[in-house]
């Protein structure tokens, strides 16, 4: 580094001073607890008694003997299916609302409402919709002649699709807004050139529009998967883990283990396994991105 | 002259310090009194009654002062508050110990063993008290409900069948005998007469029949005495569980518990269920209901069999780290003894610890519902702690509660479902309650 002038040095000091506070916050409230939880994952810690070192016993139990890990991870994987479905739906919506319509602003606002809705309010709404006796879906099915409408949230086979549907509804508005912004950035000259070359609407979409918005698609995919792997609020308020743990995600099992039964050592081990999984999946996505994401 | 920063600071702090000193010097010289803390929970009515009991205790023990904190809400909030105080090394001297949380607390050595003090006490006589209430606060280092005593019961809440007398009269059904429990066949016949449709509204004969009462009365068990084996896959237990499911599935006299949109208690309060099995603690709430009601014993499979059901209880425990164990024991001795129990029973929600006291008007409260309060006494004789108190960690019970829905929904009969889930539940039971 070249010798800095006196003013340069004092400017740098001010810079460090301002940065110090968020860095300190990170060390105290993020990195510190992470290191502590790594240590705790190697102990048997029941909160009411001091931690007791057990080495890798928690991880061994997790990988060899735990029944619920397999089931909850399978559930979590199922919920990830909702991400491509949701992206397709929001993209369609964004393309529809990208045209000059009357009340375009109103439509965009209406579709964005679920994003600002509290999860508890949304859960109350959807529990009412899914109620077999007096819910919206049940009533319409009865009008169509179905005598015994299914109990969506109480049936082990139907509960996950029901929650995926609710999840898509929730994420629609937010992704739609991102796609709308990306669609504005599709280069018009390219589209016109493709039309002149004889490409039909579908071909223009597939070869021009999609690659142009692929950075946004990539962003939504990565953040969607990271969030999806840690899915908790929605499932907890809707079903608490559902009939026979058929809707329980990994995070719900972690929460019950740690905050209901206070087996904090075991829960910390689960947290680290989940964190590693998220890192792995994200790294994989970034590797694959080179194939399909194009930046101008 | 410019004021230096330290001058400004001292000008601001000085009055506060002076004020503090003055406050302390005018305080009454009460340093001879020991202060102990009591933390509990309950409805606002209970707070008033407990304060009166504490006031009487302080009158009788002028050297002790009780600092009482009532945590609003119920159950979960209270337990978390107590756990936080324990971890922060500020455990209250005396606190409520729900019988379901007793295992977790005693396993970590957080409660003081009180056998010696109880033996010396002239107020507490264990042989006067309900055995099931006292035993559920025992721990021998490995198994709950046996061994040394770590808390005294504050109450016992046995269960009975509450019935809506107005509905029974309307349907021409005579009230059940308060001294002899109905048999299962008689009960179903009665409930069928009480199940009817009134326009759009479905009325049920019974709501909320606890499966553990059916299993125990039929001679089955839920866990073995050593708490290492789950026993709900025995033939008697399977038949009992199936009978409970059939109330909704075959006979249609009960709402299906798997469709848990309204709970059984709410149905009874709304007059949509003629009968409902619940604990004594509901009495204060039901006394405010506009319909006439009374209680009867819980039905048994066949005539002559004992009616066994679960009872709830809350204990009074002394923290193992308390600095005033003698004073703390005096408090729980008073509250669990005849005098304190006589006062606490006034709320109507509990049966007092002492059996002789429970047989008097202090508990029977003639002139108030239920008219046949002695039903609760007979229930208390044969009651047991609920299965959720059997082990320190009850994750296995949660797992069972969620898998049993298959049977309530009618997807699988009990004779298939219970043996199928047995390995998982037994494994969860053993894994989370290690023998160390």
């Amino acid at each position: 580094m070249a010798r800095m002038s006196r003013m340069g040095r004092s400017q740098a000091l001010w810079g460090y001073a301002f940065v110090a506070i968020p860095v300190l916050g990170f060390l105290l409230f993020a990195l510190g607890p992470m290191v502590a939880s790594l240590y705790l994952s190697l102990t048997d810690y029941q909160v009411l008694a001091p931690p007791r070192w057990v080495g890798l016993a928690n991880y061994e139990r997790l990988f060899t003997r735990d029944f619920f890990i397999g089931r909850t991870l399978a559930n979590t994987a199922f919920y990830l299916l909702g991400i491509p479905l949701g992206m397709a739906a929001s993209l369609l919506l964004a393309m529809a609302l990208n045209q000059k319509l009357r009340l375009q602003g109103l439509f965009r606002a209406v579709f964005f409402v679920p994003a600002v809705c509290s999860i508890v309010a949304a859960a109350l709404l959807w529990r009412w919709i899914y109620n077999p006796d007096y819910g919206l879906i049940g009533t319409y099915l009865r009008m169509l002649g179905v005598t015994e409408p299914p109990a969506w949230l109480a049936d082990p086979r139907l509960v996950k699709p029901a929650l995926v549907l609710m999840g898509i509804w929730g994420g629609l508005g937010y992704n739609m807004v991102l796609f709308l912004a990306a669609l504005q950035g599709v280069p018009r000259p390219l589209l016109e050139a493709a039309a002149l070359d004889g490409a039909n609407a579908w071909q223009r979409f597939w070869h021009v529009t999609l690659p142009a918005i692929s950075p946004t698609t990539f962003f939504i995919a990565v953040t969607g998967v990271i969030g999806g792997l840690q899915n908790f609020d929605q499932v907890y308020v809707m079903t608490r883990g559902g009939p026979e743990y058929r809707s329980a995600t990994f995070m719900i099992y972690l929460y019950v283990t740690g905050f209901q039964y206070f087996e904090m050592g075991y829960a910390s081990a689960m947290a680290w396994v989940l964190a590693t999984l998220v890192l792995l999946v994200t790294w994989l996505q970034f590797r694959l991105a080179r194939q399909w994401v194009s930046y101008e | 002259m410019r004021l230096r920063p330290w001058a400004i600071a001292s000008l601001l702090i000085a009055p506060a310090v002076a004020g503090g000193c003055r406050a302390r010097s005018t305080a009454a010289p009460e340093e001879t009194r020991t202060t102990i803390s009591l933390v509990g929970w309950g409805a606002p009515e209970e707070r008033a009654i407990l304060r009166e009991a504490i006031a009487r205790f302080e009158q009788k023990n002028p050297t002790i002062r009780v600092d009482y904190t009532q945590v609003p809400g119920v159950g979960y909030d209270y337990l978390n508050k107590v756990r936080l105080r324990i971890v922060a090394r500020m455990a209250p001297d005396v606190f409520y110990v729900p019988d379901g949380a007793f295992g977790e607390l005693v396993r970590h050595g957080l409660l003081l063993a009180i056998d010696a003090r109880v033996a010396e006490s002239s107020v507490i006589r264990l042989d006067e008290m309900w055995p099931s209430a006292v035993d559920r606060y025992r721990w021998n280092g490995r198994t709950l409900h046996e061994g040394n005593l770590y808390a005294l019961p504050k109450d016992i809440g046995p269960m009975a069948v509450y019935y809506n007398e107005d509905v029974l009269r309307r349907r021409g059904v005579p009230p059940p005998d308060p001294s002899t429990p109905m048999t299962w066949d008689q009960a179903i016949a009665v409930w069928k007469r009480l199940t009817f449709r009134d326009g759009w509204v479905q009325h049920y004969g019974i709501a909320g029949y606890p499966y553990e009462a059916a299993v125990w009365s039929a001679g089955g068990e839920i866990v073995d005495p050593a708490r290492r084996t789950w026993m709900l896959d025995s033939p008697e237990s399977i038949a009992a569980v199936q009978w409970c499911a059939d109330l909704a599935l075959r006979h249609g006299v009960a709402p299906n518990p798997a469709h848990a949109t309204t709970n059984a208690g709410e149905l009874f309060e709304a007059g949509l269920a003629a009968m409902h099995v619940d604990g004594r603690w509901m009495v204060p709430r039901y006394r405010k209901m506009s319909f006439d009601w009374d209680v009867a014993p819980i039905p048994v499979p066949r005539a002559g069999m004992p009616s066994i059901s679960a009872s709830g209880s809350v204990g009074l425990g002394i923290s193992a780290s308390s600095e005033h164990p003698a004073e703390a024991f005096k408090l729980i001795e008073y509250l669990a003894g005849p005098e304190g129990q006589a006062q606490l029973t006034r709320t109507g929600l509990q049966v007092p610890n002492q059996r002789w006291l429970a047989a008097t008007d202090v508990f029977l409260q003639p002139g108030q519902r239920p008219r046949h309060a002695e039903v609760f006494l007979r229930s208390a004789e044969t009651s047991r702690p609920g299965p959720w108190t059997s082990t320190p960690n009850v994750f296995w019970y949660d797992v069972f509660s969620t898998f049993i829905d298959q049977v309530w929904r009618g997807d699988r009969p009990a004779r298939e479902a219970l043996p199928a889930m047995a390995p998982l539940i037994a494994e969860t039971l053993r894994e989370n309650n290690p023998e160390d």
Side-chain angles (χ1 to χ4, degrees):
Chain A
M1 190 176 74
R3 247 182 315 154
M4 274 205 282
S5 66
R6 201 158 147 251
M7 189 175 103
R9 253 205 307 277
S10 108
Q11 293 280 347
L13 276 174
W14 276 108
Y16 285 128
F18 274 106
V19 167
I21 296 177
V23 166
L24 200 67
F26 175 73
L27 289 175
L28 276 178
F29 298 113
L31 192 63
M34 278 170 68
V35 170
S37 93
L38 186 61
Y39 165 69
L40 284 177
S41 73
L42 303 169
T43 65
D44 173 26
Y45 180 46
Q46 308 260 347
V47 180
L48 291 174
R52 186 174 58 100
W53 181 265
V54 292
L56 291 173
N58 288 332
Y59 291 99
E60 185 242 348
R61 177 178 156 196
L62 207 61
F63 287 116
T64 61
R65 293 201 304 273
D66 198 314
F67 165 84
F68 300 97
I69 295 296
R71 183 167 284 205
T72 53
L73 275 177
N75 293 341
T76 307
F78 188 95
Y79 289 128
L80 292 180
L81 285 180
I83 295 175
L85 288 173
M87 288 201 312
S90 353
L91 182 56
L92 275 171
L93 213 57
M95 295 198 328
L97 292 183
N98 200 22
Q99 310 159 47
K100 282 275 170 274
L101 298 168
R102 257 189 315 175
L103 301 176
Q104 181 186 48
L106 176 68
F107 280 120
R108 290 181 183 178
V110 161
F111 281 112
F112 195 70
V113 162
V116 298
C117 204
S118 115
I119 183 69
V120 175
L124 282 174
L125 173 75
W126 278 90
R127 284 176 74 154
W128 185 72
I129 291 177
Y130 281 137
N131 184 298
D133 297 322
Y134 47 79
L136 219 59
I137 300 185
T139 311
Y140 286 141
L141 285 176
R142 253 184 268 263
M143 288 201 302
L144 292 174
V146 177
T147 40
E148 281 269 14
W152 299 90
L153 298 177
D155 188 331
R157 290 159 309 189
L158 293 175
V159 64
K160 285 203 284 286
L163 289 178
V164 164
L165 191 66
M166 179 194 167
I168 292 177
W169 169 88
L172 215 55
Y174 180 73
N175 293 342
M176 176 196 79
V177 164
L178 290 174
F179 275 131
L180 267 173
L183 285 172
Q184 314 286 355
V186 175
R188 194 111 338 142
L190 267 182
L191 279 171
E192 289 169 359
L196 281 175
D197 281 345
N200 62 26
W202 167 257
Q203 284 168 324
R204 284 202 303 275
F205 172 74
W206 186 257
H207 292 287
V208 180
T209 312
L210 266 190
I213 62 172
S214 59
T216 304
T217 314
F218 177 61
F219 170 79
I220 295 179
V222 169
T223 52
V225 168
I226 291 179
L229 281 171
Q230 301 171 68
N231 191 10
F232 175 77
D233 322 32
Q234 176 209 22
V235 180
Y236 189 75
V237 296
M238 290 290 282
T239 59
R240 290 286 151 100
E244 296 142 46
Y245 293 96
R246 286 283 176 201
S247 70
T249 59
F250 197 83
M251 274 301 293
I252 289 205
Y253 183 42
L254 197 160
Y255 174 82
V256 166
T257 308
F259 294 96
Q260 203 172 310
Y261 294 103
F262 291 96
E263 295 198 29
M264 284 297 183
Y266 195 51
S268 303
M270 288 169 63
W272 273 96
V273 167
L274 183 66
T276 314
L277 189 64
V278 171
L279 274 171
L280 221 69
V281 169
T282 307
W283 173 80
L284 211 71
Q285 285 199 301
F286 271 87
R287 282 301 300 274
L288 289 174
R290 297 179 210 165
Q291 315 280 345
W292 62 281
V293 182
S294 56
Y295 297 95
E296 283 306 321
Chain B
M1 177 181 80
R2 265 183 58 206
L3 276 179
R4 294 293 148 92
W6 59 262
I8 300 177
S10 42
L11 274 175
L12 287 171
I13 296 176
V17 171
C21 288
R22 202 171 304 126
R24 211 173 316 167
S25 64
T26 52
E30 295 179 342
E31 306 317 312
T32 47
R33 300 225 303 191
T34 327
T35 304
I36 54 175
S37 51
L38 167 66
V39 175
W41 83 82
E45 308 87 60
E46 293 169 56
R47 185 172 10 176
I49 292 197
L50 196 59
R51 278 202 205 283
E52 283 177 38
I54 291 174
R56 287 266 272 277
F57 168 77
E58 285 179 344
Q59 271 178 357
K60 297 185 72 170
N61 297 276
T63 55
I64 309 179
R65 207 186 129 266
V66 177
D67 179 15
Y68 171 51
T69 310
Q70 191 194 43
V71 178
V74 56
Y76 205 53
D77 295 334
Y78 165 79
L79 273 179
N80 277 338
K81 180 159 180 121
V82 166
R83 282 195 190 104
L84 275 173
R85 284 187 62 157
I86 290 174
V87 171
R89 293 188 222 277
M90 287 171 25
D93 294 290
V94 177
F95 55 96
Y96 283 20
V97 179
D99 58 359
F102 171 72
E104 179 202 350
L105 292 168
V106 78
R107 179 169 64 143
H108 293 301
L110 299 167
L111 296 173
L112 196 66
I114 52 176
D115 299 84
R117 293 178 204 266
V118 166
E120 288 169 1
S121 164
S122 52
V123 173
I124 299 289
R125 293 191 39 205
L126 292 180
D127 53 2
E128 291 181 338
M129 297 163 66
W130 305 100
S132 134
V134 174
D135 288 342
R136 70 184 70 191
Y137 298 108
R138 292 189 185 281
W139 165 251
N140 65 9
R142 282 193 58 212
T143 320
L144 289 171
H145 308 164
E146 298 171 20
N148 298 325
L149 193 61
Y150 286 88
L152 285 177
K154 168 189 153 309
D155 57 42
I156 182 170
M159 289 181 132
V161 177
Y162 290 86
Y163 61 89
N164 184 328
E165 283 190 291
D166 293 347
V167 173
L168 260 63
R169 235 168 300 168
R170 187 158 38 124
R171 303 292 294 173
V173 173
D177 188 341
S179 46
T180 317
M182 291 189 277
T183 65
W184 279 358
D185 290 336
Q186 290 171 336
I188 291 191
V190 165
W191 291 331
K192 280 189 172 156
R193 287 169 66 182
L194 294 166
T195 303
F196 60 95
R197 206 171 178 85
D198 188 358
W200 281 115
V201 182
Q202 176 71 43
H203 290 247
Y204 293 102
I206 177 76
Y209 196 97
Y211 77 93
E212 70 269 357
V215 168
W216 286 333
S217 301
E221 291 293 340
I222 301 184
V223 274
D224 70 323
R227 315 303 161 84
R228 306 315 295 171
T229 320
W230 188 69
M231 297 187 61
L232 257 184
D233 51 353
S234 70
E236 308 87 32
S237 309
I238 291 178
V241 170
Q242 190 61 55
W243 182 84
C244 287
D246 285 345
L247 291 178
L249 297 173
R250 262 180 62 202
H251 308 290
V253 297
N256 194 319
H259 294 167
T261 43
T262 26
N263 72 42
E266 287 172 11
L267 282 174
F268 179 71
E269 289 177 27
L272 297 178
M275 297 200 188
H276 170 57
V277 182
D278 215 324
R280 170 78 198 187
W281 55 84
M282 298 305 290
V283 163
R285 187 184 169 86
Y286 289 164
R287 277 181 179 162
K288 299 187 194 144
M289 295 288 126
S290 54
F291 56 82
D292 220 0
W293 57 270
D294 209 335
V295 292
I298 300 180
V300 291
R302 287 183 299 283
M305 295 177 89
S307 174
I308 309 178
S309 57
S311 55
S313 170
V314 169
L316 291 160
I318 304 178
S319 161
S321 59
S322 167
E323 293 174 8
H324 311 288
E327 289 82 357
F329 183 74
K330 278 211 130 14
L331 177 62
I332 69 174
E333 180 190 51
Y334 177 79
L335 289 174
E339 209 180 314
Q341 287 290 296
Q343 293 181 282
L344 294 175
T345 308
R346 278 160 47 212
T347 57
L349 62 69
Q350 66 178 72
V351 174
N353 288 336
Q354 286 76 16
R355 284 139 80 185
W356 58 266
L357 185 61
T360 67
D361 282 350
V362 168
F363 166 70
L364 294 172
Q365 296 170 354
Q368 290 209 60
R369 295 190 289 225
R371 276 194 309 283
H372 294 106
E374 68 275 9
V375 166
F376 284 111
L377 300 185
R378 279 190 285 272
S379 174
E381 291 277 357
T382 51
S383 73
R384 299 186 192 177
W388 51 87
T389 67
S390 331
T391 53
N393 179 301
V394 286
F395 183 44
W396 62 269
Y397 189 73
D398 274 354
V399 173
F400 164 72
S401 303
T402 186
F403 277 93
I404 195 67
D405 275 352
Q406 300 170 355
V407 178
W408 302 144
R409 272 197 311 268
D411 289 347
R412 274 173 109 179
R415 65 170 181 282
E416 266 180 45
L418 290 174
M421 65 173 87
L424 173 64
I425 303 199
E427 159 127 4
T428 311
L429 170 77
R430 283 192 289 267
E431 187 75 59
N432 287 297
N433 292 288
E435 308 185 278
D436 48 40

